Amino acid sequence: QVQLVESGGGLVQAGDSLKLSCAASGRTFNWYAMGWFRQAPGKEREFVAAATWSREYYADSVKGRFAISRDNAKPTIDLQMNSLKPEDTAVYYCVASRGSAQIISTPAAYDYWGQGTQVTVAS
């Protein structure tokens, strides 16, 4: 049983920073990709960022503000979020994949999902 557990969410003001962490437990793999999606109520799930063995990917909406970091030894995947905006408000989900032919920015690319952590950015 693989579990991904997110932490670090909370309520912040616009312009603040927040760091999300995701820890994998149970069986772990040499993940091809680990990353983050987010979903606001009434909206579709949205790609945020991901890291493969050699590359990092970011949604246009977060480029220059968010940074992903991956520790393959633990394993963990962190998301440093800076200059937060109200439109960043969402539940953030940690994701991981052993490998996929799907485009990395699509939910179908990932095998494992965490239960999410709420990030609320007040205006």
Side-chain angles (χ1 to χ4, degrees):
Q1 184 75 30
V2 174
Q3 290 185 305
L4 303 176
V5 181
E6 305 94 338
S7 62
L11 173 63
V12 298
Q13 298 294 123
D16 284 354
S17 296
L18 200 62
K19 185 177 182 179
L20 305 182
S21 296
C22 174
S25 63
R27 287 195 63 190
T28 59
F29 303 88
N30 184 18
W31 309 110
Y32 169 73
M34 298 186 72
W36 296 87
F37 280 74
R38 66 187 182 186
Q39 187 169 26
K43 300 180 67 176
E44 65 184 19
R45 193 166 293 174
E46 177 187 26
F47 173 76
V48 178
T52 66
W53 293 321
S54 59
R55 292 185 60 186
E56 297 179 358
Y57 302 83
Y58 295 91
D60 289 341
S61 60
V62 305
K63 284 182 179 178
R65 299 190 298 120
F66 291 9
I68 197 167
S69 61
R70 176 175 172 175
D71 186 334
N72 294 323
K74 296 188 179 180
T76 59
I77 185 78
D78 295 341
L79 184 69
Q80 177 65 52
M81 305 184 294
N82 300 319
S83 301
L84 283 162
K85 305 174 180 179
E87 49 263 46
D88 295 318
T89 295
V91 176
Y92 284 70
Y93 296 92
C94 177
V95 298
S97 176
R98 296 173 64 189
S100 176
Q102 301 290 331
I103 298 173
I104 198 167
S105 61
T106 64
Y110 299 93
D111 305 298
Y112 304 100
W113 293 72
Q115 291 190 320
T117 185
Q118 177 70 48
V119 173
T120 302
V121 184
S123 61

